[in-house]
């Protein structure tokens, strides 16, 4: 929760901003934080919280509501917004329920999905249906844009700021808090057992901050810093299960001379955990020790790195109303700066504009300060993109280049972004899920991220770098959560078309093994009646797989041959580099047009598209339209309408990353 700066006088009581977010990966949460800082500087008493932390009636208590929300899966709301959404859909709510609520929405989406920014649009419509007034036009960001969602968010936010100043003018003599003035941190580090002894600290001392309005948090778990401790709202994990898994094997499945290292990892967990194809394991990585050492040296934190510290956080609820959940639970957590930097802070994230603005306060070098502030100027958006996003420059590298920046260690949790877990689609299903002595097995197919940027520097993914180095026997904490493919056992007799190039084949493999398992269960249930075999019970199963080379990255090729003997499985491959003209999965769709049309139109089958986002899903969709046109003698409008109907019926599913 974020309690903003207030002006004195009665005006402060009437300037209350509630910033809400629904976020899966944290991007919408970052947007909400930035909106919250903007309203703080306009002297709104500001609260930032995820949507599920409140009931809709709370919206009536605030002057203005700002919402940042991403779209998940097949046009769904994120997990931490779904309870709020269900409350908004209650039929008994009158059309005047949210009269006098003033709001605006910024949506984050991926234009490679059919239901682009669908969550933001339907939330906006529902709020208006219930009587709320949209005071500023909805903004939308596209992750497929060259400059990401910031390309539209920054100008939208600047225009919103101007609008708020007009609609909610400041009292005479009051001015917005300038961007050059440092706002108090939402969380602060202090030495353990010395939180009240701040004498003798540096220029950025605790004396600047209202520690009487902060509380020391109580422990909730060993070696765990919850999201709220890093200035984040408590996440709703009702659809996720935390568990400990142990690595059984970590095998490279591409040749050593292949351009990409792809790993097949197998884990086991004690106990039974039910999961279905499309479900996800979220793995929280650790930073490499050399990166942690470098940041400690750069900032001059060596003397404090291993000392016990505590995190102070503002813990006032957004209202005394019992309808509101408390956002920051108490913690009396024992940790060090070293463990915080290793396990919980993202040192390799691409720095956001707000980070550069913040660290400009921590240098006395005028040239470096001016350069950092130039990057935060919306006029220089292209320069910021060329410096950060285009070369994928990390926070650590920025601090190495702006070496006069010395962030006080007390600010570490507030200044740096949180190290978020990475999601991986589970590749195991059916009998592959069951281990010895009642244990559960999980398999992943992971492409290790390592590449050279335009400035000739090697970049590595934080999580895949961590996974690549794991040794068998290593235990780690993960979360298991439902995916968005919505696969159910009742669909086992329905034909399926699976399109999964590269590691996108992981959930497809899970589905194939699961369909085989469902068939075995049905055979047992029918007691072998009518001599049914799996090929009679199961609907057609077609996999269109894409890779570069048949010998290098045709994953599970031997397994497919074995499965063809057990279920009606057909596998078609497009190896893009094995012939002069490149062939991709979208080409396979057209080459197998007659079969595709039969599966999807004539026998009302289901299509699943999984793999990299961007051009592939759009190209596949275009190929499907062409197949419907050619094999169904349709006009384009009719073919597009058929795909739209499939989406509505839940027969067109996409999960890309």
């Amino acid at each position: 929760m974020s309690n903003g700066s207030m002006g004195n006088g009665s005006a402060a009581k009437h300037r209350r901003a509630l910033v809400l977010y629904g976020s899966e990966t944290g991007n919408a949460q970052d947007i909400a934080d930035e909106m919250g800082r903007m309203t703080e500087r306009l002297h709104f008493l500001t609260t930032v919280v995820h949507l599920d932390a409140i009931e809709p009636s709370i919206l009536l208590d605030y002057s203005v509501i700002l919402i940042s929300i991403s779209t998940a899966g097949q046009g769904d709301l994120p997990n931490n917004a779904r309870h709020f959404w269900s409350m908004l859909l209650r039929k008994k709510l009158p059309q005047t329920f949210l009269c006098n609520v003033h709001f605006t929405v910024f949506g984050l989406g991926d234009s490679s999905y059919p239901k682009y920014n669908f969550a933001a649009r339907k939330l906006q419509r529902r709020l208006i249906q219930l009587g709320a007034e949209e005071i500023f036009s909805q903004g939308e960001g596209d992750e497929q844009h060259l400059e990401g969602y910031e390309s539209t968010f920054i100008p939208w936010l600047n225009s919103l700021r101007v609008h708020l100043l007009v609609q909610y003018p400041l009292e005479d003599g009051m001015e917005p808090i300038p961007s050059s003035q440092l706002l108090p941190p939402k969380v602060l580090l202090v030495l353990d057992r010395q939180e009240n002894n701040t004498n003798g600290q540096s220029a950025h001392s605790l004396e600047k901050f209202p520690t009487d309005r902060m509380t020391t948090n109580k422990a909730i778990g060993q070696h765990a810093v919850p999201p709220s401790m890093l200035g984040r709202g408590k996440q709703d994990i009702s659809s996720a299960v935390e568990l400990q898994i142990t690595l059984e094997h970590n095998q490279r499945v591409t040749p050593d001379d292949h351009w990409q290292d792809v790993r097949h990892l197998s884990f086991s967990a004690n106990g039974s955990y039910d999961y279905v194809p499309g479900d996800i394991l979220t793995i929280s990585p650790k930073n490499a020790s050399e990166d942690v050492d470098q940041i400690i040296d750069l900032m001059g934190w060596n003397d404090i790195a291993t000392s016990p510290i505590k995190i102070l956080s503002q813990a006032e609820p957004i209202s005394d109303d019992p309808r509101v959940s408390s956002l920051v639970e108490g913690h009396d957590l024992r940790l060090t700066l070293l463990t915080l930097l290793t396990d919980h802070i993202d040192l390799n994230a691409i720095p956001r504009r707000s980070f550069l603005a913040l660290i400009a306060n921590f240098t006395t070098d005028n040239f470096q300060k001016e350069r950092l502030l130039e990057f935060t100027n919306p006029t220089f958006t292209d320069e910021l993109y060329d410096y950060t996003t285009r070369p994928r420059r990390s926070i650590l590298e920025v601090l190495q280049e702006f070496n006069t920046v010395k962030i006080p260690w007390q600010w570490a949790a507030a200044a740096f972004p949180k190290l978020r877990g990475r999601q991986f689609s589970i590749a195991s299903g059916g009998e592959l899920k069951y281990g010895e002595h009642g244990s559960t097995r999980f398999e992943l197919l992971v492409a290790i991220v390592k590449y050279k940027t335009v400035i000739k520097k090697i970049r590595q993914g934080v999580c895949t770098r961590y996974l690549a180095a794991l040794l068998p026997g290593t235990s780690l904490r993960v979360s298991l959560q439902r995916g968005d493919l919505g696969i159910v056992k009742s669909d086992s007799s329905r034909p399926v078309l699976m399109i999964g190039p590269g590691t996108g084949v992981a959930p497809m493999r899970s589905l194939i093994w699961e369909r085989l398992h469902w068939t075995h269960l049905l055979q047992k249930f029918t007691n072998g009646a009518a001599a049914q075999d799996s090929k009679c019970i199961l609907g057609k199963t077609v996999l269109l797989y894409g890779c570069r080379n048949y010998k290098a990255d045709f994953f599970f090729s031997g397994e497919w041959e074995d499965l063809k003997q057990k279920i009606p499985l057909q596998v078609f491959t497009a190896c893009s580099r094995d012939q002069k003209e490149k062939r991709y999965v979208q080409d396979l769709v057209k080459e197998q047009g007659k079969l595709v049309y039969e599966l999807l139109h004539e026998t009302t089958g289901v299509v699943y598209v999984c793999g990299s986002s961007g051009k592939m899903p759009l190209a596949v969709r275009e190929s499907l339209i062409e197949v419907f046109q050619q094999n169904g003698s349709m006009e384009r409008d009719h073919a597009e309408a058929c795909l739209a109907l499939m989406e509505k019926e839940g027969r067109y599913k996409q999960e890309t990353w």
Side-chain angles (χ1 to χ4, degrees):
M1 183 183 61
S2 167
N3 293 313
S5 305
M6 296 182 293
N8 47 31
S10 61
K13 298 179 182 178
H14 302 291
R15 295 180 68 81
R16 303 185 68 200
L18 178 58
V19 183
L20 300 169
Y21 63 86
S23 184
E24 284 284 343
T25 62
N27 287 334
Q29 200 169 348
D30 290 340
I31 290 289
D33 287 339
E34 196 147 346
M35 291 195 290
R37 287 188 288 268
M38 182 270 291
T39 54
E40 283 186 59
R41 293 187 181 280
L42 299 185
H43 297 280
F44 283 89
L45 176 61
T46 298
T47 297
V48 180
V49 59
H50 64 87
L51 282 153
D52 277 358
I54 67 164
E55 290 191 6
S57 57
I58 291 297
L59 303 181
L60 296 164
D61 298 337
Y62 288 82
S63 314
V64 62
I65 311 295
L66 311 181
I67 303 173
S68 168
I69 188 165
S70 61
T71 296
Q74 318 307 314
D76 302 318
L77 274 75
N79 281 328
N80 60 2
R82 291 178 184 176
H83 180 63
F84 177 83
W85 177 243
S86 68
M87 290 189 287
L88 281 186
L89 295 179
R90 289 181 294 191
K91 293 181 180 179
K92 65 180 181 180
L93 295 179
Q95 292 183 352
T96 57
F97 176 63
L98 295 180
C99 276
N100 299 319
V101 169
H102 303 98
F103 79 97
T104 187
V105 177
F106 188 87
L108 288 85
D110 184 330
S111 58
S112 69
Y113 277 78
K115 294 184 177 180
Y116 169 64
N117 261 311
F118 200 70
R121 296 172 188 178
K122 65 183 180 182
L123 178 59
Q124 174 209 40
R125 286 196 300 269
R126 183 57 179 161
L127 292 173
I128 292 173
Q129 287 173 358
L130 294 174
E133 178 186 352
E134 186 179 40
I135 60 165
F136 192 72
S137 297
Q138 176 175 313
E140 293 185 349
D142 183 5
E143 291 187 11
Q144 291 301 318
H145 191 281
L146 186 64
E147 297 176 18
Y149 54 82
E150 281 204 339
S151 63
T152 51
F153 172 66
I154 295 302
W156 180 87
L157 185 67
N158 291 333
S159 298
L160 174 62
R161 179 184 181 277
V162 172
H163 182 81
L164 291 177
L165 278 172
V166 173
Q167 294 297 314
Y168 303 90
L170 296 169
E171 286 185 335
D172 292 342
M174 183 181 287
E175 295 292 333
I177 300 171
S179 58
S180 58
Q181 181 175 330
L182 197 60
L183 294 172
K186 305 303 177 291
V187 289
L188 200 66
L189 303 181
V190 295
L191 288 174
D192 195 7
R193 296 182 300 275
Q194 297 184 31
E195 55 264 34
N196 294 319
N197 180 16
T198 61
N199 294 330
Q201 297 196 10
S202 65
H204 303 290
S205 130
L206 300 186
E207 295 175 2
K208 285 189 174 186
F209 311 119
T211 53
D212 59 313
R213 293 179 55 199
M214 300 179 182
T215 63
T216 304
N217 297 318
K218 299 176 185 175
I220 63 167
Q222 188 178 11
H223 307 308
V225 179
S228 58
M229 296 296 287
L230 298 181
R232 308 297 190 180
K234 178 186 174 185
Q235 296 296 319
D236 175 11
I237 58 169
S238 60
S239 60
V241 176
E242 303 291 326
L243 65 150
Q244 183 162 309
I245 60 176
T246 301
L247 179 66
E248 292 184 341
H249 77 254
N250 184 351
Q251 178 186 1
R252 176 166 178 157
V253 291
T254 50
D256 291 339
D257 59 354
H258 188 58
W259 71 280
Q260 186 168 49
D261 178 359
V262 178
R263 300 298 178 98
H264 182 198
L265 300 105
S266 178
F267 302 90
S268 63
N270 292 329
S272 177
Y273 295 92
D274 183 37
Y275 63 88
V276 297
D279 285 356
I280 293 164
L281 271 188
T282 299
I283 297 178
S284 297
K286 295 177 182 291
N287 285 307
S289 58
E290 54 265 36
D291 291 347
V292 174
D293 291 342
Q294 285 184 61
I295 201 72
I296 289 173
D297 289 341
L298 278 169
M299 296 298 105
W301 293 340
N302 299 82
D303 292 341
I304 199 71
T306 57
S307 299
I309 59 173
K310 287 184 179 180
I311 300 179
L312 298 184
S313 175
Q314 300 183 55
E316 298 169 319
I318 64 174
S319 165
D320 293 331
D321 194 307
R323 296 170 295 172
V324 184
S325 63
S326 179
L327 308 180
V328 181
E329 296 185 357
H331 299 277
D332 185 14
L333 192 63
R334 298 298 186 266
L335 74 159
T336 67
L337 189 60
L338 181 64
T339 56
L340 189 73
L341 292 169
T342 300
D343 298 339
H344 305 289
I345 283 176
D346 195 345
L347 304 176
N348 288 285
I350 297 173
R352 291 175 55 82
R353 189 185 307 265
S354 56
F355 176 80
L356 300 178
L358 175 65
I359 65 174
N361 291 281
F362 300 127
T363 176
T364 56
D365 184 283
N366 288 332
F367 175 77
Q368 291 198 358
K369 179 188 285 286
E370 289 175 7
R371 183 63 176 147
L372 286 167
L373 292 176
E374 280 180 7
F375 285 134
T376 68
N377 188 333
T379 307
F380 300 115
T381 298
D382 290 343
E383 286 82 352
L384 176 63
Y385 173 80
D386 287 339
Y387 179 69
T388 57
T389 305
R390 187 167 177 263
R392 314 296 294 177
R393 188 174 263 109
S394 70
I395 282 176
L396 177 57
E397 289 173 324
V398 168
L399 291 173
Q400 288 170 334
E401 294 182 15
F402 289 86
N403 56 2
T404 64
V405 170
K406 303 298 176 185
I407 302 171
W409 64 267
Q410 297 93 336
W411 278 74
F416 293 94
K418 181 190 170 196
L419 183 59
R420 295 189 173 97
R422 271 54 167 185
Q423 296 181 335
F424 298 94
S425 289
I426 299 172
S428 47
E431 65 184 50
L432 300 182
K433 298 191 295 186
Y434 307 109
E436 296 179 350
H437 311 298
S439 63
T440 305
R441 297 180 70 252
F442 302 90
E443 296 184 29
L444 302 178
L445 185 67
V446 178
I448 305 304
V449 178
K450 187 175 182 180
Y451 59 95
K452 189 174 289 187
T453 70
V454 293
I455 56 175
K456 308 302 181 185
K457 286 198 173 184
I458 298 295
R459 293 283 181 267
Q460 297 186 68
V462 175
C463 193
T464 59
R465 178 186 184 185
Y466 167 68
L467 288 175
L470 287 183
L471 298 176
T474 304
S475 293
L476 56 159
R477 296 290 297 180
V478 300
S479 68
L480 170 65
Q481 71 181 73
R482 289 285 178 236
D484 296 308
L485 292 181
I487 295 171
V488 293
K489 190 185 298 184
S490 58
D491 281 341
S492 60
S493 60
R494 172 174 271 176
V496 294
L497 172 65
M498 299 171 289
I499 304 172
T503 57
V505 78
M508 307 294 91
R509 177 180 185 250
S510 175
L511 176 56
I512 291 170
W513 278 98
E514 196 77 2
R515 284 168 72 83
L516 175 59
H517 179 64
W518 289 337
T519 302
H520 290 164
L521 290 178
L522 184 56
Q523 287 174 326
K524 289 181 181 180
F525 179 76
T526 58
N527 210 17
Q532 294 187 72
D533 64 28
S534 59
K535 294 190 178 184
C536 297
I537 298 170
L538 200 63
K540 281 187 177 180
T541 306
V542 177
L543 171 64
L544 304 185
Y545 177 71
C547 60
R548 286 202 170 200
N549 309 105
Y550 186 90
K551 293 183 178 180
D553 54 354
F554 183 13
F555 306 126
F556 310 115
S557 56
E559 194 170 287
W560 305 140
E561 293 303 316
D562 181 56
L563 286 166
K564 286 178 183 178
Q565 308 305 313
K566 302 174 182 178
I567 60 175
L569 172 65
Q570 293 177 271
V571 179
F572 300 94
T573 60
C575 302
S576 62
R577 303 301 195 272
D578 280 351
Q579 62 284 314
K580 187 175 181 180
E581 292 186 3
K582 295 178 182 178
R583 291 173 66 245
Y584 301 103
V585 286
Q586 56 265 35
D587 299 311
L588 282 180
V589 171
K590 290 184 282 189
E591 290 170 14
Q592 301 299 324
K594 184 177 179 181
L595 174 61
V596 167
Y597 185 75
E598 176 194 337
L599 289 176
L600 301 184
H601 192 268
E602 300 299 322
T603 57
T604 63
V606 183
V607 60
Y608 299 99
V609 181
C610 298
S612 297
S613 62
K615 294 180 180 179
M616 184 274 293
L618 296 174
V620 165
R621 186 180 181 86
E622 183 62 31
S623 292
L624 288 172
I625 290 173
E626 290 183 27
V627 165
F628 275 51
Q629 284 182 273
Q630 293 171 6
N631 291 271
S633 301
M634 301 178 185
E635 296 294 331
R636 183 179 178 88
D637 289 348
H638 186 192
E640 290 178 345
C642 287
L643 287 187
L645 179 61
M646 287 178 60
E647 292 163 10
K648 186 176 181 179
E649 295 174 344
R651 296 195 298 115
Y652 189 111
K653 304 288 187 67
Q654 179 177 320
E655 185 63 47
T656 54
W657 50 86

